[in-house]
């Protein structure tokens, strides 16, 4: 494809680009570019926040470029300080290995395996001497490091910053040197680290990588960015039912943003949905169902997306459930009595038992009349207490 046409596709929906001219120049060379993405296995699963970037990487692949996925088995043990207001706990080697095991399998739901090179940065960092670490660290100054917004805020408010956290962006930048990346991608919260990569490549006499960032998406709470740490994420490994149910739980204000960043729906179609909701011509819930179907189809196929929607309608909409319900976080196994007490709707266990005995408690319209019964919940169930109290059940991981 013509370099200018490639450029227009690749910069669509991006936020930061350093720089457009450099990317065009690299594309004009006519060779496959090496596109780097680093992920730290701080938890065992990927989520839709990662998919925003992976989807863009797939566009690079479809245009003939090579993806270099760096799994940070070493840097995960330091802990990425990006956006953090306090020092992030370090992980043990066993924790990192356990979390990293399923990463490759998950990314290949999106990326082409044949056009993806997977590297672990422990390949080079685990072999380094302390002298080598010092020499690499000398390539970047403390003054430049303190330009980073989250470091500056913590310093100004007398919050601790460990020297190890200074080393994290340097380590991530050195990854770019080791794989000779032409472009590095990440979320907007990674901008500083990605720019360090440009500087590190210059120090090692490499052509600096282009930096490309994608927007962060808020999680199911509608407030904080989607993150495993905030437990507001929709995971690649969620079942189609759970994935659809979680999409349906997002605030209406996120529908269009999710559509633009997570689906292949055309701009004209999405603009129409946005206009219709703004003018009150359509129920946002119906547009959200379209979104849920599209997202599920990415991971499970179009047929499963349709099935997930049909199941949701069968369980929820036909029961005249409210659009918004308080969420109860529970483990997979809980007694009926404990579930009712968790809702906070009864002042005592005796009152809870009375409601249960009267048949006033239902789970997905199934009457629960035995307070000692153990329930195995899967998430997205609806608890009804009395005539008007509804709660959505989510699993607490």
């Amino acid at each position: 494809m013509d370099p200018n046409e490639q450029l227009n596709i690749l910069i669509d929906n991006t936020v930061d680009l350093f720089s457009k001219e450099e990317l065009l120049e690299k594309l004009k060379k006519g060779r496959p570019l090496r596109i780097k993405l680093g992920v730290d296995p701080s938890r065992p699963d990927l989520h839709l926040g990662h998919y925003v970037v992976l989807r863009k990487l797939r566009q690079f692949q479809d245009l003939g470029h090579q993806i270099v996925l760096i799994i940070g088995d070493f840097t995960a043990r330091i802990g990425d300080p990006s956006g953090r207001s306090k020092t992030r706990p370090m992980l043990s080697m066993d924790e990192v290995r356990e979390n990293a095991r399923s990463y490759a399998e998950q990314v290949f739901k999106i990326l082409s395996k044949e056009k993806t090179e997977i590297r672990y940065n422990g390949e080079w960092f685990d072999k380094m001497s302390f002298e080598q670490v010092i020499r690499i660290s000398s390539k970047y100054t403390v003054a430049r490091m303190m330009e980073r917004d989250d470091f500056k805020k913590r310093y100004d408010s007398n919050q601790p910053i460990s020297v190890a956290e200074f080393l994290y962006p340097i380590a991530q930048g050195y990854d770019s040197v080791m794989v000779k990346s032409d472009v590095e991608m990440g979320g907007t919260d990674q901008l500083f680290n990605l720019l360090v990569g440009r500087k590190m490549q210059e120090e090692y006499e490499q052509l600096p990588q282009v930096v490309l960032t994608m927007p962060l998406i808020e999680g199911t709470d509608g407030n904080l960015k989607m993150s495993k740490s905030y437990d507001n994420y929709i995971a690649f490994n969620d079942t189609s039912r759970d994935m659809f149910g979680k999409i349906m739980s997002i605030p209406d204000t996120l529908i269009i943003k999710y559509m633009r960043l997570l689906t292949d729906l055309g701009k004209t179609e999405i603009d129409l949905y946005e206009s219709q909701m703004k003018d009150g011509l359509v129920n946002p819930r119906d547009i959200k169902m379209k979104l849920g179907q599209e997202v599920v189809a990415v991971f499970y196929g179009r047929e499963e997306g349709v099935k997930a929607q049909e199941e949701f309608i069968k369980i929820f909409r036909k029961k005249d459930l409210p659009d918004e319900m308080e969420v109860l976080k529970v483990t997979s196994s809980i007694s009926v009595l404990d579930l009712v007490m968790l809702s906070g709707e009864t002042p005592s266990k005796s009152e809870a038992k009375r409601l249960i005995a009267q048949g006033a408690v239902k789970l997905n319209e199934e009457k629960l009349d035995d307070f000692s019964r153990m329930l195995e919940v899967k998430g997205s169930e609806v608890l009804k207490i009395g005539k008007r109290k509804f709660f959505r059940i989510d699993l607490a991981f």
Side-chain angles (χ1 to χ4, degrees), residues 80-86 148 150 154 189-190 225 230:
D80 184 3
S82 298
R84 301 283 164 176
S85 59
K86 59 183 180 180
R148 182 172 170 153
D150 45 7
R154 285 162 62 182
D189 60 341
Q190 288 291 311
K225 75 172 184 177
Y230 300 141

Side-chain angles (χ1 to χ4, degrees), residues 19 63 83 143 157 258 281 334 371 377 380 394:
S19 66
L63 292 170
S157 60
Y258 271 43
L281 300 177
I334 189 171
F371 70 86
V377 298
S380 297
D394 273 1

